[in-house]
């Protein structure tokens, strides 16, 4: 099981990767949306915002998110680290239920370019 610090580092790495994308992927990365990333095995939620091509984590809370974000991710800590490091395929993880992504239809269509 990854630690909270490792999960935060993974989110920062994802944010850095998003910052350097181009084309259609860059367009998707520049969405301005609230984001929650719930890590089930740590009973922790990272609360933040996707803006200017980055994910900015504003808070880390124990338990479920305090508010419903526009983009919501749910997964185990090891899966987050593996996804960001390229060791876990997002589509397969999402299809098998290891990773849950919830967002509005329009956002999902944009996010698929990122993932």
């Amino acid at each position: 099981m990854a630690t909270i610090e490792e999960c935060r580092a993974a989110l920062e790495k994802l944010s850095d990767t998003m910052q350097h994308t181009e084309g259609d992927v860059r367009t998707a990365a520049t969405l301005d949306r609230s984001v929650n990333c719930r890590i089930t095995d740590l009973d922790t939620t990272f609360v933040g915002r996707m803006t200017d091509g980055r994910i900015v984590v504003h808070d880390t809370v124990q338990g479920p998110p305090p508010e419903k974000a526009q983009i919501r991710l749910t997964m185990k800590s090891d899966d987050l680290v593996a996804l960001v490091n390229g060791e876990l395929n997002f589509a397969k993880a999402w299809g098998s239920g290891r990773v849950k992504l919830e967002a509005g239809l329009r956002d999902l269509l944009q996010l698929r370019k990122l993932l």
Side-chain angles (χ1 to χ4, degrees), residues 24-45:
D24 286 344
V25 176
R26 178 71 180 156
T27 301
T30 58
L31 290 172
D32 185 10
R33 302 287 188 270
S34 59
V35 177
N36 287 339
C37 182
R38 174 121 169 86
I39 308 300
T40 56
D41 57 335
L42 297 176
D43 194 27
T44 299
T45 302

Side-chain angles (χ1 to χ4, degrees), residues 5-20 53-55 80-87:
E5 293 77 21
E6 290 170 321
C7 290
R8 182 179 288 278
L11 288 171
E12 288 176 15
K13 182 178 179 180
L14 175 61
S15 182
D16 289 344
T17 301
M18 288 172 51
Q19 187 76 31
H20 298 97
R54 296 193 59 83
I55 296 173
L80 172 61
V81 172
L83 278 170
V84 173
N85 289 334
E87 300 162 1

Side-chain angles (χ1 to χ4, degrees), residues 20-100:
H20 298 97
T21 59
E22 296 179 8
D24 286 344
V25 176
R26 178 71 180 156
T27 301
T30 58
L31 290 172
D32 185 10
R33 302 287 188 270
S34 59
V35 177
N36 287 339
C37 182
R38 174 121 169 86
I39 308 300
T40 56
D41 57 335
L42 297 176
D43 194 27
T44 299
T45 302
F46 293 94
V47 179
R49 185 150 203 96
M50 180 188 293
T51 185
D52 295 326
R54 296 193 59 83
I55 296 173
V56 179
V57 176
H58 298 296
D59 200 6
T60 304
V61 297
Q62 193 69 26
E67 297 177 6
K68 184 178 175 182
Q70 292 166 304
I71 298 172
R72 299 167 304 281
L73 287 161
T74 304
M75 67 193 80
K76 291 184 178 181
S77 59
D78 287 338
D79 289 339
L80 172 61
V81 172
L83 278 170
V84 173
N85 289 334
E87 300 162 1
L88 179 63
N89 178 281
F90 180 83
K92 288 181 182 179
W94 188 30
S96 69
R98 285 176 67 177
V99 174
K100 293 181 184 173

